[in-house]
Amino acid sequence: MAAVTPVGEVAGRIQGSQVSVLALDTSAVRPVATSERMASGAWMHAVPAVRSDLEPGSLDGQLALLRKDLPVHGMPLEGRPSELRARVSVSAADRVGRVWLVAQVEDASGLVTQVQAELTADGVARTVSLPLASGSLNYPLQVTQLGLRSAARGFPRATFRLTVSGIEGAGVPSGASWVNVTRGEIRVAGLGCPGVPDDGPQRADAGVCEVSKADGGLLSAVVRGSDPLQGDGADGVSFGLVPAGTPKRVAGMPVAGYLVPALVNEAFVRKVRFGMGGEVRLMDTSEDLFGLRVVGVLPEFPGGGDRDQPQVLVDLPALSAARAGLGLPPVTDSAWWLAAQSKAGMERAERAVAADPRLGRVESVRSRAAAMAADPFRSGRRSALVLSLVLSPVFAVAGFTVHAVGSARSRRREFAVLRAIGVRRRQLAGVLRLEQLAVVGFSVLLGGALGVALAAVVLPLIVVDGSGRAVFPSLELTVGWGWTAMVVLATGLGVGTVVLVLSRMLARVDLARELPAGENG
């Protein structure tokens, strides 16, 4: 494979318009974003691919903008670990249910894996192991989130003291720090935090009373578990790593996260009314998902579906960085895009994926082209065009035959006079042949030119997509001059052969019938 990238999808609303966000690993696909792979008729394709006359500049350059200024948002892990080993202690003053340490690990593609390990709430520091699905990870890895989750049902609300002393093979980047990124209310009021006056209504969700850097460690936090007496609230809290200078979280608002650079389609600009340089927030009902900064506009996205829907293309690691800083759940891979090294490699990859049901359904450029060719509407239209190609020379031969016969019959007396003054039949046949071949040559050449011009005008009007609209991108005018010359030549030869045969027949003149004795003229 020349390139492999996971594809994640997020849906939301901006300015009341439904927006679809597509995320992929731009570092994996940029090497195949070449003009050769995006040329018409290429067997090896880029993913994604944009026709050269539709991209304002280099697609590789625009994809590079999607990962520009990617912020620090995780602790890099050394080597290729198969497990995450963390030194952790957690304590609780009262009897509590089961407690888990939760960690989110992001791979080089931007995909995030969530792992957890059960803890013992006795205040003793232990090294816990969180197994990783090493076979499906793209190294190197980084830890982007830590969290604490508890089973509160059947137990009184508990206060936990969590300390993460370190993670084997990982260190906090310079200037970065762990902060509370738990979604929802940030105020400690209603949590019942130790030493904090609390006269307001009680909250059911778990929350963070305080968080700081542990002495010689990563983080230390005081956490209040969820209150089962107040209803079913969130049972966990999350901590994210943010770079130095990140604005502090304020009441009722999430951490001021990273604005994700985005390429948008023209429907986005038209409906959302934000173009180059615009900064917007993607919302889900009333929840703020993340921010977008428009760095480029494309007429349409390859394989983007509904062209009237606003669509956004982002870098998957950049999207994961924004979501980690906002305490959002990770984006899952909805599909994988693959670009092969060769035609044979593409066929082998297609067979390999199709042979393993666990990998899901495979769809290649070749299979999509075959499915489109087998579509009854498209095949019917193609058959009509082929029928026109076959019948056109037949009609041309019939037309020239009628023209030659009619012309010769109207000039029989003229031919009789020429024969009477000594013109031989072979000479007369030669004159007829020369006249008709001149007409045939001019007509065939003019017909070929008019046919090409007419096809260029008509084909874009009759080639439509499944919904009956004009295809996008619009048809690229590519004239098959070789095939056109062959059709013109074949038509000319067919008509010319008929003319040669007819010239001999039509040169025969009965002088007695055409010039009876005693007739003037």
Side-chain angles (χ1 to χ4, degrees), residues 347-473:
E347 294 173 350
R348 288 197 301 269
E350 187 176 354
R351 289 195 299 268
V353 175
D356 192 341
R358 296 173 302 174
L359 298 178
R361 180 175 59 89
V362 59
E363 185 175 27
S364 66
V365 173
R366 185 181 63 171
S367 63
R368 173 66 70 88
M372 294 175 67
D375 180 81
F377 177 76
R378 290 186 173 91
S379 61
R381 181 180 59 208
R382 186 169 56 254
S383 299
L385 294 174
V386 172
L387 185 62
S388 300
L389 177 64
V390 173
L391 292 180
S392 294
V394 176
F395 286 124
V397 170
F400 277 106
T401 301
V402 172
H403 171 268
V405 172
S407 176
R409 284 183 176 177
S410 67
R411 299 166 61 190
R412 275 188 171 280
R413 180 165 295 185
E414 176 186 343
F415 295 164
V417 171
L418 291 174
R419 289 295 308 278
I421 63 176
V423 176
R424 296 180 179 180
R425 190 175 70 179
R426 180 177 298 178
Q427 292 175 317
L428 184 58
V431 171
L432 283 173
R433 188 182 306 121
L434 184 61
E435 288 180 353
Q436 295 300 321
L437 287 179
V439 174
V440 168
F442 176 77
S443 301
V444 169
L445 293 176
L446 179 61
L450 290 177
V452 171
L454 187 63
V457 173
V458 173
L459 280 178
L461 301 178
I462 64 174
V463 177
V464 295
D465 59 17
S467 62
R469 297 186 302 175
V471 295
F472 186 92

Side-chain angles (χ1 to χ4, degrees), residues 1-2 8 24 50 57 76 79 94 160 165 168 184 197 211 227 294 322 377 398 400 439:
M1 290 291 103
L24 50 81
V50 178
D94 301 318
F160 299 97
S165 303
E168 188 175 302
V211 59
D227 189 351
V294 179
F377 177 76
F400 277 106
V439 174

Side-chain angles (χ1 to χ4, degrees), residues 36 85 96 108 142 147 211 215 239 299 307 313 331 336 388-389 418 450 460 469-470 487:
E36 293 79 11
R85 295 178 60 82
V96 296
Q142 60 178 339
V211 59
D215 293 336
F239 304 95
R307 304 200 300 268
L313 182 67
V331 176
W336 286 75
S388 300
L389 177 64
L418 291 174
L450 290 177
R469 297 186 302 175
V487 172

Side-chain angles (χ1 to χ4, degrees), residues 212-239:
S212 60
K213 182 177 180 181
D215 293 336
L218 301 183
L219 71 88
S220 178
V222 177
V223 178
R224 285 284 281 174
S226 60
D227 189 351
L229 300 179
Q230 300 295 326
D232 293 329
D235 61 356
V237 296
S238 301
F239 304 95

